[in-house]
Amino acid sequence: MVRIVAQPSATQRGRPLDKGGESVDIRSASKHYDAVRALDNVSLNVAPREFVSLLGPSGSGKTTLLGILGGFIPPSSGSIHFGDRDVTLLPPHKRDIGVVFQNYALFPHMSVGENVAFPLRARQLPKADWPDKVRAALAMVGLAGYESRGISQLSGGQRQRVALARAMIFEPRLILMDEPLSALDKQLREAMQIELRELHKRIGATIIYVTHDQREALTMSDRVAILKDGKLVQIDKPQRLHDHPADSFVASFIGEASLLPVRRADACSVVLGPAILRSTRPVPDGDELMLAVHSEKLLIDDGAGDAARNRLTGKVTDVVYQGESLRVFLQLADGTSLSLRQPSHYEAARRIPPLGGELTVTLHPEDTIVVPKARP
Amino acid sequence: MPAPMPDISRQYQRREQLTMLALAFPALLMILLLVVLPVGWLAWQSIWHDGFTLENYRRILAEDIYWRSFALTFEISLTVTVLAVLLGYPIAYAASIVSRGWSIVILALVVLPFWTSVLVRAYAWLALLQRTGVINQLLRQLGLIDAPLALVHNTFGTVVATLHILLPFMVLPLYATMQKIPRDLLQAGASLGAGPVLTFWQIFLPLSLPGVLAGCTLVFVLSLGFYITPELLGGGRTVMVSMLVSRNVELYDQWGAASAVGVVLLLAVAAIFFVVSRFVPLDRVLGQR
C-alpha cells in the first residue's frame, strides 16, 4: 500500500516531528480479579502509526486493557510487546509511552509550563533545552504563551490540551488515551476529535484510544476494537463494523439499529413474520439470527424504485422530533418494533401518517444485514 | 423619578441570615461561656490585685526560672513536632498506599492508645524507662551497658512520652491529606517517565504538605500546654510552662502570677501563628480546600 507522508504543512506549526509509530502486539492478555474476568484472552495487533479505538460499554475491559498497556495493571497471563520489546513486566516509567488520562491528571501544584516540562525533567534532559521544547509543545496544541498559568485558571478544554502537550513533548512513539474528551461538552468534544485526528497525522505516533462513544470511535479511528465482558468481539475499520457487524451486539452498539429476530429460509433470505426478506449477503447458519436494521437505511415506500427491495409494513407508534431529523417508531404485525430516521423537511414529514396509521418502508437487499444473536 | 421597586430577594436574604444566626447561637453561647469569659477573667486576674498592677509580668521578665521554663517548653515542643513528622509521615504514607483492609489496621493501631488514659500511658512509660525498668534491665542482661541509663526524669523521657501521646494528631491529618491525593497523578508521573523516587519528591510530597502543616500545628500547640506527662516523666527537673502555672496556684496560691504565665503563653502562640501565616496560607491548610 502506498502511503503519502511528510506533507510540507506538517512542519509549519510546531516542529518537524515525525518519529513514526510503535507497533503493539497484545498476545492472549487476561486479567482476573478473583472470580471476575476483567479481560479474557484478548489478542490484538496494532500497526505503527495506526489509530485504534477500544470501544465497549462500561465493564467491557477496555480500561483494564489500557491499564495493562500502560503498565499500571499487571496482566494475569499473556504478554505485551512494543515493537520487538517484551514490556509485559516493565514498570510504567520505563515504557516510554505518552498517556492522557480521563480527568487529565495535571499536577495542581505546578504551572502549565512545569507540567509540560515534567517528562523532560524525568528524562534528565538539559534544563537549557526545556523552554524551547515546552514552547513548541504548547504551540502544537494551540496554547502558545500559557507557560506561567496555573492549572486552576484553565478551562476544561485547555486542561485537555495541556495534558496532550505533556504526553507528546517527549515524542513518544505510542500514546494511550483514556476517554480524554468525555469531560468536555459536545461542541468542544467534536472540535477536539477533528484536532486529535490532525495531530495524529502530524506526529505519526501510534495511538490507542479508549472510549464508550461509538461516534467518537468511528470519527477518529483507523480501526475500532469492540470489547464486551472482557472479550474482543470484533476489530475492523469503522465502515466494516457498521456494515458487517460480527453479531447482534456489535450491530446494536454501532450506529442506530433495530434488532428483529428472524428465521433462516435459505442462503440468501430470511423469514420475518409473514414476510420473506432477501439479502445479497450470505445469511449465516444457526438457529438464532437477528436482522439488524439501521434506521437511516429504511425508506418510506413511494412505489418507485427497485422492485427487488424488501418491504415491511407497520403501525406508526411514535414520531420524535430531533432537530435535523425525525425518528419514527413502527410496530410490525407480530408485535416487534423498529425505527427509521427521516430528514426533517416538509416533503419527508408529509409522507408520515398520523399516529396509528399504516406505513410501508423498504429495505434494500444490500442493506439487509443478518447476524447471529450474541450470547447475553 | 419613580421609586425603585422593593427587591424581594433582599427580604429573603435577611430571613436566611436570621436563621443562620439562630442555628449558630448555641455554639456561640458555649464559646462565650467556656472560652471568652475564662480567658478574659484570666487576663483580668493577671493585671488586677487590689488595683492595676504589672507586677506579675515584671516577675516573668525578671526571673530566670520563667525564661528557662519558656525556652524549655518551646524546645521540647519543637523536638516533639519534628520527631512526630519523621515518625508519622512514613506511617501515614504506608496507610495511604496499602489496600483498604491494611490501612484500617494501621490506623487502628495508631488510634488504639487513645482508648487508654494519658495517666496510664505516662505510668507505662515510667515502668519501661526507669532505672530498674524493662529497657535498662534488658540492656544490662545483654551486657550492652554497665550502669543504667538515665532515660526518665529528664527531658528525654518527657519527649518520648509526649511524642507517643501526640503521634495520632500528626498521623491522622497526614493520612487525610495523602488519601485525597489522586492516584491518577502518581500514575501520570510514572507514565511520563518519572521513577518512584522522583514521583514521590515532585508530586506526592508537595501535595501532602498541607497535611504536614496541619499535623505540625496540632502537635506543637498541644505539646506547649502538656502537663501530666512532663510532670510524671520530667521528674521535677523538666519544668514546663504548664507546671509553672500549677505550682503558682498549688504551692503559692498565686492566681495572678499563674494567670500571667497563661497569658504570656497564649500571646506567644498567637505570635507564632501570625508569623507562620505570613509564609503559609494557614486558613487554606487547616480548612477544607
Side-chain angles (χ1 to χ4, degrees):
Chain A
M1 188 181 141
V2 180
R3 223 185 253 277
I4 300 161
V5 285
Q7 285 132 4
S9 67
T11 56
Q12 280 164 9
R13 277 169 65 190
R15 46 191 181 162
L17 43 79
D18 191 336
K19 294 201 115 187
E22 186 99 89
S23 66
V24 177
D25 190 8
I26 302 161
R27 296 182 193 160
S28 316
S30 294
K31 179 67 188 178
H32 304 177
Y33 294 102
D34 298 325
V36 182
R37 291 183 174 185
L39 200 66
D40 195 359
N41 197 17
V42 168
S43 293
L44 189 59
N45 255 301
V46 180
R49 297 167 177 276
E50 203 175 12
F51 193 129
V52 170
S53 287
L54 306 177
L55 176 65
S58 54
S60 60
K62 56 191 195 298
T63 303
T64 305
L65 182 53
L66 200 80
I68 288 174
L69 288 171
F72 310 123
I73 301 172
S76 306
S77 61
S79 65
I80 310 292
H81 304 258
F82 294 166
D84 45 18
R85 291 190 294 160
D86 181 343
V87 299
T88 313
L89 299 175
L90 209 63
H93 65 277
K94 291 188 178 153
R95 296 198 173 196
D96 216 25
I97 53 177
V99 182
V100 180
F101 292 83
Q102 187 164 15
N103 40 18
Y104 321 137
L106 297 175
F107 307 130
H109 57 297
M110 299 182 192
S111 68
V112 168
E114 287 167 335
N115 262 283
V116 176
F118 188 84
L120 309 179
R121 178 195 295 271
R123 284 168 179 73
Q124 296 178 335
L125 264 71
K127 246 185 169 155
D129 298 349
W130 296 7
D132 280 341
K133 283 184 179 278
V134 170
R135 203 173 305 130
L138 283 176
M140 192 163 57
V141 295
L143 285 182
Y146 274 63
E147 279 90 339
S148 56
R149 299 272 183 107
I151 298 304
S152 57
Q153 293 169 271
L154 302 180
S155 69
Q158 289 170 331
R159 286 176 202 209
Q160 182 51 65
R161 286 158 199 266
V162 174
L164 276 174
R166 190 180 64 175
M168 293 188 307
I169 191 170
F170 58 101
E171 302 172 14
R173 300 172 64 206
L174 170 63
I175 302 177
L176 307 179
M177 301 192 181
D178 185 8
E179 309 212 17
L181 306 182
S182 61
L184 305 179
D185 61 59
K186 186 167 178 285
Q187 258 180 341
L188 190 56
R189 194 163 65 229
E190 284 172 4
M192 285 296 288
Q193 285 168 8
I194 305 299
E195 256 183 71
L196 268 180
R197 252 172 73 119
E198 288 288 307
L199 215 52
H200 170 239
K201 278 183 206 148
R202 203 135 37 92
I203 62 177
T206 307
I207 294 184
I208 297 181
Y209 188 100
V210 162
T211 180
H212 64 263
D213 180 342
Q214 52 113 352
R215 250 189 115 85
E216 190 166 290
L218 297 181
T219 304
M220 311 197 356
S221 321
D222 296 321
R223 282 192 302 161
V224 179
I226 310 262
L227 288 131
K228 184 199 174 199
D229 300 334
K231 290 193 180 72
L232 180 64
V233 183
Q234 187 176 4
I235 173 162
D236 232 322
K237 295 196 169 83
Q239 202 179 346
R240 290 277 306 173
L241 278 181
H242 196 259
D243 294 344
H244 295 83
D247 65 12
S248 62
F249 173 76
V250 177
S252 68
F253 209 71
I254 299 289
E256 182 181 81
S258 309
L259 292 166
L260 310 175
V262 290
R263 212 155 32 77
R264 191 176 196 272
D266 55 49
C268 56
S269 56
V270 289
V271 182
L272 174 65
I276 289 186
L277 305 181
R278 292 184 316 103
S279 173
T280 51
R281 305 148 181 252
V283 174
D285 288 322
D287 297 331
E288 291 193 293
L289 298 179
M290 303 292 271
L291 176 70
V293 190
H294 289 124
S295 58
E296 76 279 6
K297 286 173 179 159
L298 287 175
L299 300 177
I300 293 177
D301 187 15
D302 54 3
D306 199 337
R309 288 192 293 184
N310 297 310
R311 285 181 165 71
L312 296 166
T313 303
K315 278 199 178 106
V316 175
T317 56
D318 203 358
V319 179
V320 182
Y321 176 78
Q322 292 182 322
E324 80 287 353
S325 65
L326 296 167
R327 196 168 173 192
V328 183
F329 289 87
L330 280 186
Q331 191 172 37
L332 302 182
D334 61 351
T336 55
S337 56
L338 49 82
S339 71
L340 65 144
R341 223 168 243 294
Q342 288 289 301
S344 60
H345 54 69
Y346 179 71
E347 290 277 357
R350 208 182 46 159
R351 283 189 232 142
I352 301 168
L355 293 190
E358 280 212 338
L359 182 66
T360 300
V361 292
T362 66
L363 179 66
H364 199 278
E366 286 284 350
D367 294 329
T368 305
I369 302 165
V370 180
V371 288
K373 189 176 177 183
R375 279 169 298 159
Chain B
M1 238 171 99
M5 286 278 284
D7 187 346
I8 47 169
S9 74
R10 195 75 60 74
Q11 203 181 339
Y12 175 80
Q13 263 175 13
R14 208 169 304 137
R15 204 164 52 211
E16 201 172 50
Q17 280 165 358
L18 278 176
T19 312
M20 291 300 158
L21 203 68
L23 285 172
F25 183 72
L28 284 175
L29 190 69
M30 199 124 111
I31 288 175
L32 184 75
L33 287 178
L34 299 180
V35 178
V36 178
L37 286 182
V39 170
W41 182 75
L42 196 75
W44 173 253
Q45 275 229 322
S46 69
I47 54 165
W48 195 267
H49 189 76
D50 301 332
F52 177 77
T53 171
L54 284 176
E55 172 59 20
N56 291 320
Y57 291 97
R58 199 194 55 74
R59 257 220 332 257
I60 292 177
L61 289 175
E63 282 183 28
D64 226 20
I65 173 149
Y66 284 101
W67 280 106
R68 267 187 284 134
S69 190
F70 270 101
L72 183 70
T73 303
F74 278 94
E75 188 192 310
I76 288 178
S77 301
L78 206 62
T79 313
V80 167
T81 308
V82 170
L83 290 174
V85 174
L86 294 179
L87 286 178
Y89 199 95
I91 298 174
Y93 181 69
S96 76
I97 58 167
V98 294
S99 68
R100 181 143 180 76
W102 280 110
S103 77
I104 288 172
V105 171
I106 292 175
L107 291 178
L109 288 175
V110 168
V111 178
L112 207 58
F114 265 142
W115 295 352
T116 18
S117 94
V118 174
L119 206 58
V120 171
R121 279 183 279 168
Y123 276 118
W125 276 111
L126 212 54
L128 283 171
L129 297 175
Q130 64 192 340
R131 289 177 70 83
T132 54
V134 178
I135 291 175
N136 269 322
Q137 274 182 357
L138 192 71
L139 289 176
R140 280 173 81 171
Q141 272 165 17
L142 290 172
L144 293 172
I145 52 169
D146 296 327
L149 298 171
L151 299 174
V152 80
H153 301 308
N154 54 17
T155 309
F156 178 81
T158 307
V159 168
V160 168
T162 308
L163 179 61
H164 172 232
I165 288 162
L166 292 183
L167 199 56
F169 292 96
M170 178 62 74
V171 174
L172 295 179
L174 270 177
Y175 174 74
T177 311
M178 290 176 178
Q179 206 210 7
K180 272 188 265 166
I181 297 175
R183 301 298 111 160
D184 266 16
L185 295 183
L186 308 181
Q187 287 194 350
S191 79
L192 296 168
V197 176
L198 189 69
T199 304
F200 178 81
W201 283 107
Q202 290 288 330
I203 301 167
F204 194 88
L205 185 66
L207 292 175
S208 69
L209 282 184
V212 174
L213 263 159
C216 285
T217 312
L218 274 175
V219 169
F220 185 74
V221 170
L222 285 173
S223 61
L224 277 181
F226 243 46
Y227 173 62
I228 293 175
T229 312
E231 185 77 280
L232 287 175
L233 290 143
R237 259 169 291 175
T238 310
V239 182
M240 287 178 73
V241 172
S242 55
M243 286 142 81
L244 283 182
V245 174
S246 99
R247 274 171 208 193
N248 267 318
V249 172
E250 284 177 1
L251 294 180
Y252 314 116
D253 202 23
Q254 294 277 339
W255 284 87
S259 303
V261 173
V263 169
V264 170
L265 187 61
L266 194 66
L267 291 178
V269 172
I272 290 173
F273 265 90
F274 179 74
V275 172
V276 171
S277 69
R278 305 249 87 177
F279 300 102
V280 188
L282 279 183
D283 49 337
R284 247 185 57 203
V285 167
L286 296 177
Q288 290 286 327
R289 281 176 305 154

